[in-house]
Amino acid sequence: MEKIEHIGIAVKSLQNANQVYKALLGSEPYKSERVESEGVETSFFKCGESKIELLEALNPESPIAKFIEKRGEGIHHIAFAVNDIYAEIERLKNEGFKILNETPKKGADNKLVAFLHPKSANGVLVELCQEIENN
Ligand code: ZN
């Protein structure tokens, strides 16, 4: 693992949460992006070299809608940057972690992502992410 890449926060209204995090961080979101495959609308803020990802559900089947229904708004996942997501999945599998996406998928912010089951990490949903090289 390289560093904490971002922290994902589940919100009911991206519009409201954008205002709150603008005020909190003193900056504008640097991008917003809809990820249809995950059923989410996201916006990203930078804070130093870390990022905050706000996530709003696009539909009731979205994992974010289910999360908010069960636990309310709040921290949804912690994302770690990795250099080789395939190698890291193998390593963590061998360590006994339950991998939710053995084949990484395209996530928001130009990343390949895979998630670990929260039960594997003391109740924390862990995201691995690797920057997709554009060339
Ligand atoms: Zn994320």
Side-chain angles (χ1 to χ4, degrees), residues 61-129:
E61 282 73 50
S62 159
I64 295 301
K66 290 181 179 150
F67 177 90
I68 288 178
E69 201 180 284
K70 262 209 243 169
R71 298 169 66 167
E73 290 185 300
I75 292 180
H76 176 258
H77 64 270
I78 296 183
F80 294 94
V82 299
N83 281 331
D84 181 345
I85 196 165
Y86 295 94
E88 206 59 23
I89 287 170
E90 270 314 299
R91 184 182 74 81
L92 293 168
K93 221 161 75 175
N94 290 331
E95 292 284 355
F97 288 90
K98 186 167 184 230
I99 317 290
L100 295 174
N101 320 93
E102 297 213 6
T103 306
K105 54 186 180 172
K106 174 117 178 30
D109 203 26
N110 198 40
K111 300 276 195 296
L112 265 181
V113 303
F115 288 90
L116 310 187
H117 197 287
K119 282 195 177 130
S120 287
N122 302 80
V124 174
L125 178 62
V126 171
E127 174 184 340
L128 308 176
C129 60

